[in-house]
Amino acid sequence: MAGRARLSPVGAPTRGTTNPNRLRRVDRWLAHDPAVTRLLRRSPDPLVVDLGYGASPVTTVELLRHLRRVRTDVRVLGLELDPVRVAAALPAADPPWLDFHRGGFELAGARPVLVRAFNVLRQYAESEVEGAWKLVLDALPPEGLLVDGTCDEIGRLASWVAVGSTGPLSLTVSMRLAELDRPSTVAERLPKILIHRNVPGERVHSLLSTLDECWAAAAPHRAFGVRARWVSAVGMLRDRGWPLLGRPDRWRLGELSVPWESVAPR
């Protein structure tokens, strides 16, 4: 952050709840998504910010471990509004590769290429989301990415929006298949921009409803395992005309990505 003014933190404190491996689903995606890996590999300074990491730095440490598979010299900066949380995280720091500072949506004057903000905007009003996105994106280079998401307490249900300088790019949902009753269960963990849109007439409701129908139709495949059933269901979803992103091998992980315009609020 040399040469950049230290800014006053912007944002509201979060609950701070965190657990080891809680964010493994998004970390796994970050380490394999072509747009993210290309961004990190091409950057002259691969700095990543973990915004609002919570009461423990464990998920920030895990983020660095995952991203080092993409680029060994990646740096991760954890930001929290609460100075007590920052102080608690500092023993885990390993400058310059891993550090922790006080900061919010203004990113403490840092200029990363990638920001992960998980379970941060959940407490905000939907009307505040785009303003928060803009604050973050204003601190990123034009090619930078923000990943805004939500997950349950142990990381079995997760979803996130990838946001670039032109606006939202994609929605990804990721679920632990072993305990899955129906795919629309993930609706309770949609990002704030979508969580109130899971109602008839909205595109995200149509996506999840159709996915539930495909899941039910794929029930005969459960004899070959839950992954086979999920892969079959996602294939049916594609056959019904839903545009899917990414490679089919990601489906086996309980993961599904679609372009933003297919789920954008009406």
Side-chain angles (χ1 to χ4, degrees):
M1 293 189 294
R4 293 180 61 83
R6 181 61 63 87
L7 305 174
S8 298
V10 177
T14 63
R15 290 172 54 204
T17 306
T18 190
N19 287 296
N21 290 318
R22 186 184 186 188
L23 304 185
R24 63 190 179 278
R25 295 187 173 276
V26 67
D27 287 350
R28 186 173 58 193
W29 179 83
L30 289 170
H32 289 88
D33 180 74
V36 175
T37 57
R38 183 167 55 248
L39 174 65
L40 291 174
R41 287 169 178 152
R42 291 180 177 178
S43 174
D45 182 17
L47 174 63
V48 177
V49 161
D50 187 19
L51 180 59
Y53 56 83
S56 164
V58 61
T59 53
T60 310
V61 174
E62 292 168 351
L63 175 62
L64 176 62
R65 186 171 67 243
H66 279 274
L67 295 184
R68 275 183 169 164
R69 298 170 186 170
V70 179
R71 184 164 170 175
T72 57
D73 62 341
V74 68
R75 296 185 297 123
V76 173
L77 172 64
L79 293 180
E80 257 294 344
L81 291 171
D82 186 347
V84 174
R85 294 179 185 174
V86 176
L90 286 175
D94 181 22
W97 314 115
L98 178 64
D99 211 347
F100 301 90
H101 290 293
R102 187 166 181 249
F105 295 124
E106 82 304 327
L107 304 187
R111 191 168 173 83
V113 294
L114 176 66
V115 175
R116 183 185 74 177
F118 245 70
N119 303 304
V120 173
L121 285 168
R122 186 173 177 84
Q123 65 187 331
Y124 288 76
E126 182 182 336
S127 60
E128 297 176 290
V129 171
E130 291 188 357
W133 283 357
K134 186 178 186 303
L135 277 174
V136 172
L137 292 167
D138 283 350
L140 271 57
E143 69 277 12
L145 290 173
L146 162 65
V147 177
D148 167 27
T150 306
C151 68
D152 66 356
E153 285 72 14
I154 54 177
R156 292 182 176 178
L157 295 172
S159 67
W160 54 89
V161 178
V163 189
S165 59
T166 60
L169 304 172
S170 65
L171 169 72
T172 299
V173 297
S174 182
M175 294 162 269
R176 178 173 166 81
L177 299 176
E179 296 90 7
L180 187 64
D181 178 25
R182 61 185 187 277
S184 62
T185 304
V186 78
E188 65 194 50
R189 298 296 172 174
L190 285 171
K192 189 66 178 191
I193 196 71
L194 290 175
I195 196 166
H196 301 301
R197 302 289 180 155
N198 186 38
V199 293
E202 290 284 350
R203 295 182 179 94
V204 71
H205 181 269
S206 179
L207 170 66
L208 296 180
S209 297
T210 306
L211 188 54
D212 276 355
E213 293 171 6
C214 295
W215 177 252
H221 291 266
R222 63 188 173 194
F224 304 102
V226 68
R227 287 187 178 182
R229 181 181 181 182
W230 172 260
V231 169
S232 177
V234 176
M236 292 180 192
L237 184 72
R238 179 189 57 191
D239 293 343
R240 293 193 185 191
W242 282 90
L244 304 183
L245 301 174
R247 304 190 311 266
D249 61 337
R250 303 296 299 174
W251 302 351
R252 291 181 55 80
L253 304 174
E255 187 178 291
L256 170 66
S257 297
V258 295
W260 176 253
E261 56 266 25
S262 67
V263 293
R266 294 188 185 276

